[in-house]
């Protein structure tokens, strides 16, 4: 400001000096000096106004990057304004970056997030919410939510304004064969707006249903032998029985005890398979040795199964792979043994059972069990690996099955990167194949 005053005075003095020496009016030199000073003041005012106009023009939205005035009061004003504008621009950019990061985080959320205004119109939603409700995240902005989601339960939930509990509803892509269940909850926030959160709970509900079925099935499977045992124990305690009858009852009790023991063993095996990490590829087992163990077990089992029969099963074991397989040997033996055991139990005496292990042209390996049993109807095949699923419950119990064998086979195969394939036709036997990846195989003899 001091320089501005000095500049104004300097213009007046310069005008006064010029007026004094030029004698513009022809009157006294004092009058000429005053008129010169007045002219200097006018010139200073014109220049200052011009500079003010330049400053105002630069402050408009179409301003250049650098201010047009570098010195004087207006130069100082523009420099400070430029610093302020830069600071504001940085603040705005930081705010926009934070908003972008926040929206990106919401966009990456596995749950649906949607913002509704005070009239329940969509202000913003992430892609997950758009998929849950079958919306277009851009096109459906500012649309009324009730016009897009025509579920009566959701409409009642939204209009009721009682959001202290979640709503379970069917997803847009839900079908009878592939149900999709959504958990939806709304929350109030500023100005009557609503925050909608949605998540896909299909897997959770299916797991809960499986847990309920599993507990019910286990209870049912254990209750039957326990009832039989309790009845026999009561009979032995209250009645005088002949030695022959007592031995018969004790034999039946032992069978029921073994059945419960097998069931508990299979349940523990399933629990261990589901709760432990996948097997590494550092532990190797000899495939020929594994096949010899399976053959020994199979011949012992068929001798027991056909104890009172005139014929025994025709077992054919063939190992065409001289190498090793990576994984847990006990798990592999259990899975393969289950398939061989099922084939023996369901094949009539004298029937042929083929068991083989061979390497495929693409480097994978295939363990195969072919039986001559009654076969399986096509509608049962997709469900055979479910826990406690039986095609013929009475037949399964007669053969000593727990209903968990194929579930164990499936889990072991998955843990070793393999997959189980079941092929069968009624009256034509069944074929079970486990295909192992090439990464879990290595040849030891050429």
């Amino acid at each position: 400001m001091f320089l501005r005053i000095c500049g104004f005075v300097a213009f007046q003095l310069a005008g006064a000096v010029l007026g004094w020496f030029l004698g513009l009016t022809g009157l006294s030199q004092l009058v000429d000096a005053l008129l010169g000073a007045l002219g200097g003041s006018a010139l200073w005012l014109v220049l200052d106004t011009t500079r003010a106009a330049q400053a105002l023009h630069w402050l408009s939205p179409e301003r250049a990057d650098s201010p047009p005035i570098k010195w004087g009061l207006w130069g100082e004003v523009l420099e400070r304004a430029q610093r302020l504008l830069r600071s504001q621009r940085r603040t705005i950019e930081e705010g926009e970056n934070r908003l972008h990061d926040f929206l990106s985080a919401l966009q990456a959320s596995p749950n649906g997030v949607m913002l509704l205004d005070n009239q329940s119109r969509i202000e913003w939603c992430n892609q997950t919410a758009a998929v849950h409700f079958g919306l277009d995240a851009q096109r459906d902005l500012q649309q009324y939510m009730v016009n897009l989601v025509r579920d009566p339960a959701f409409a009642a939930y939204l209009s009721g304004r009682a959001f202290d509990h979640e709503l379970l509803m069917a997803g847009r892509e839900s079908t009878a064969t592939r149900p999709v269940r959504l958990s939806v909850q709304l929350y109030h926030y500023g100005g009557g707006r609503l925050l909608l959160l949605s998540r896909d709970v299909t897997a959770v509900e299916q797991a809960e249903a499986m847990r309920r079925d599993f507990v019910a099935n286990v209870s049912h499977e254990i209750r039957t032998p326990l009832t039989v045992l309790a009845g026999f124990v009561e009979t032995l305690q209250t009645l005088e029985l002949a030695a022959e009858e007592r031995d018969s009852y004790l034999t039946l009790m032992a069978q029921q005890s073994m059945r419960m023991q097998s069931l508990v063993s299979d349940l523990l095996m399933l629990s261990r398979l589901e709760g432990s990490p996948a097997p590494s590829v550092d532990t190797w087992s000899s495939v020929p040795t594994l096949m010899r163990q399976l053959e020994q077990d199979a011949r012992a089992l068929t001798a027991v199964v056909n104890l009172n029969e005139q014929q025994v099963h025709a077992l054919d074991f063939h190992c065409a792979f001289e190498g090793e397989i990576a994984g847990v040997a006990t798990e592999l033996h259990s899975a393969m043994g289950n398939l061989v055991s099922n084939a023996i139990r369901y094949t009539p005496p004298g029937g042929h059972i083929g068991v083989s292990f061979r390497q495929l042209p693409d480097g994978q390996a295939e363990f195969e069990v072919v039986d001559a049993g009654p076969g399986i109807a096509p509608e049962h095949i997709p469900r055979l690996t479910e826990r406690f699923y039986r095609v013929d419950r009475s037949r399964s119990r007669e053969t000593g099955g727990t209903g968990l064998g194929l579930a164990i086979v499936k889990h072991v195969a998955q843990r070793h990167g393999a997959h189980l394939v079941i092929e069968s036709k009624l009256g034509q036997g069944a074929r079970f194949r486990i295909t192992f990846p090439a990464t879990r195989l290595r040849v030891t003899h050429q």
Side-chain angles (χ1 to χ4, degrees), residues 97-108:
N97 290 335
R98 284 196 296 269
L99 177 61
H100 176 74
D101 292 342
F102 178 72
L103 294 179
S104 296
L106 292 180
Q107 196 67 257

Side-chain angles (χ1 to χ4, degrees), residues 15 33 120 138 300 366 442:
S120 299
Q138 299 299 325
E366 184 178 83
R442 68 182 182 186

Side-chain angles (χ1 to χ4, degrees), residues 32-239:
D32 291 336
L34 290 174
L35 288 175
L38 183 60
S41 300
L43 179 60
W44 181 89
L45 183 60
V46 170
L47 293 176
D48 190 68
T49 303
T50 301
R51 299 181 70 198
Q54 291 177 326
L56 289 174
H57 177 73
W58 184 81
L59 290 173
S60 66
E62 300 81 15
R63 62 179 175 272
D65 292 336
S66 59
I69 305 172
K70 306 292 186 181
W71 51 274
L73 178 64
W74 289 112
E76 180 67 22
V77 169
L78 294 184
E79 184 180 351
R80 294 185 181 184
Q82 187 178 38
R83 287 199 297 267
L84 179 61
L85 290 172
R86 286 175 179 170
S87 176
Q88 290 179 341
R89 188 181 297 112
R90 282 196 299 269
T91 302
I92 293 172
E93 288 177 353
E94 290 173 359
E96 290 177 347
N97 290 335
R98 284 196 296 269
L99 177 61
H100 176 74
D101 292 342
F102 178 72
L103 294 179
S104 296
L106 292 180
Q107 196 67 257
S109 171
N111 298 326
V113 182
M114 185 180 299
L115 306 180
L116 305 177
D117 64 12
N118 55 7
Q119 297 183 18
S120 299
R121 291 178 299 195
I122 301 173
E123 290 187 330
W124 182 87
C125 72
N126 66 357
Q127 190 59 37
T128 305
V131 172
H132 284 170
F133 296 102
L135 308 177
D136 188 303
Q138 299 299 325
R139 184 190 61 201
D140 291 330
L141 293 180
Q142 297 304 315
Q143 297 294 317
Y144 289 98
M145 191 62 179
V146 290
N147 293 339
L148 300 175
V149 181
R150 298 183 178 275
D151 187 300
F154 178 78
Y157 180 67
L158 183 60
S159 60
R161 298 285 165 172
F163 305 140
D164 55 341
H165 64 282
E166 65 179 5
L167 169 69
L168 293 177
M169 57 180 287
R172 177 63 66 91
E173 298 180 356
S174 180
T175 61
T177 56
R178 295 188 61 184
V180 177
R181 298 287 291 171
L182 297 179
S183 168
V184 178
Q185 188 155 12
L186 289 160
Y187 300 89
H188 290 285
Y189 78 102
R193 291 180 172 84
L194 295 174
L195 170 66
L196 183 150
L197 300 180
S198 62
R199 59 191 179 97
D200 190 333
V201 295
T202 306
V204 175
E205 291 208 337
Q206 289 176 344
E208 179 62 21
M210 288 178 61
R211 185 193 66 80
R212 291 194 300 267
D213 293 342
F214 180 69
V215 172
N217 284 324
V218 170
S219 301
H220 176 74
E221 294 293 331
I222 291 181
R223 185 184 296 116
T224 301
L226 280 177
T227 302
V228 175
L229 283 173
F232 286 151
V233 169
E234 183 178 355
T235 300
L236 292 172
Q237 289 177 334
T238 57
L239 297 179

Side-chain angles (χ1 to χ4, degrees), residues 286-298:
S286 170
V287 172
T289 301
L290 181 61
M291 290 292 288
R292 283 194 295 270
Q293 292 173 348
L294 290 174
E295 184 174 3
Q296 292 174 2
D297 295 343

